Amino acid sequence: EEQLVESGGGLVQPGGSLRLSCAASGFTFSSYWMHWVRQAPGKGLVWVSRINSDGTSTSYADSVKGRFTISRDNANNTLYLQMNSLRAEDTAVYYCARDRASRSLNNWFDPWGQGTLVTVSS
Amino acid sequence: EIVLTQSPATLSLSPGERATLSCRASQTITSYLAWYQQKPGQAPRLLIYDAFNRATGVPARFSGSGSGTDFTLTISSLEPEDFAVYYCQQRSNWPLSFGGGTKVEIK
């Protein structure tokens, strides 16, 4: 079964940092682009970042550019999101999601992890 | 940036009824549109991609149509497990964007 499991969320003060992890299993992780998507409480979905299969190409939403860094460890089938200079508006459930197509960029998200909640508050 | 507008915000229907959900793009996105289903407390699930292709395991009662700026997700006969929030998403232009969602609730 293809599975993504996020971890690392929690409560952090404004200006603080947090690193999210996403453990992948059931598929060849190193063959897929990966994404992070977030959802503020009671709100809709917002794409955050993506990374190519070998980690050499990354993209970010303007709202997080310069503050967040996406990376991956293909040897350990794990995706990361390093979040620095956190703001109250970054409060959300963060989902990792696999790109639908293997070995190419599709920008459709399938499957998704269960999400991890990040709360930025003093 | 492409804005996706979903309507209605809420759709109140009974099991067995037909659901028709709309997604309108602020500029043409050809057929680069997907639909996701999200149940309370769960992650979204891909239903439809490239406007009309069903994702793996998605029941045939779900169908997508449209091109250009106007798209429709149709659920031919609602099952109890279909009551959820549905989002559309475009990949035509940067940045990737989602619509605000349509909640399908039990009448």
Side-chain angles (χ1 to χ4, degrees), chain A residues 39-100:
Chain A
Q39 186 171 35
K43 302 297 185 182
L45 301 165
V46 176
W47 176 85
V48 172
S49 183
R50 71 183 182 196
I51 187 168
N52 70 342
S53 57
D54 65 7
T56 58
S57 177
T58 59
S59 300
Y60 301 92
D62 285 347
S63 58
V64 306
K65 198 174 298 183
R67 300 188 298 123
F68 289 12
T69 302
I70 190 172
S71 63
R72 65 192 296 160
D73 178 352
N74 285 346
N76 290 297
N77 295 333
T78 304
L79 175 73
Y80 300 102
L81 186 68
Q82 177 66 44
M83 304 185 295
N84 298 333
S85 303
L86 282 162
R87 307 166 180 167
E89 55 265 36
D90 295 319
T91 295
V93 174
Y94 285 74
Y95 296 100
C96 66
R98 193 193 72 182
D99 201 88
R100 196 192 73 84

Side-chain angles (χ1 to χ4, degrees), chain A residues 6 35 37-39 42-47 50 59-62 65 95 100 105-115, chain B residues 31-34 36 38 41-46 48-51 55-56 87 89-92 94-100:
Chain A
E6 301 94 334
H35 303 262
V37 178
R38 70 184 182 184
Q39 186 171 35
K43 302 297 185 182
L45 301 165
V46 176
W47 176 85
R50 71 183 182 196
S59 300
Y60 301 92
D62 285 347
K65 198 174 298 183
Y95 296 100
R100 196 192 73 84
L105 179 59
N106 210 237
N107 284 321
W108 302 137
F109 313 123
D110 182 34
W112 298 57
Q114 88 288 349
Chain B
S31 62
Y32 294 135
L33 188 99
Y36 298 85
Q38 187 177 34
Q42 296 186 19
R45 170 197 178 195
L46 177 66
I48 302 286
Y49 63 95
D50 291 339
T56 303
Y87 294 95
Q89 178 233 328
Q90 66 83 23
R91 68 166 182 136
S92 175
W94 198 254
L96 306 177
S97 55
F98 291 87

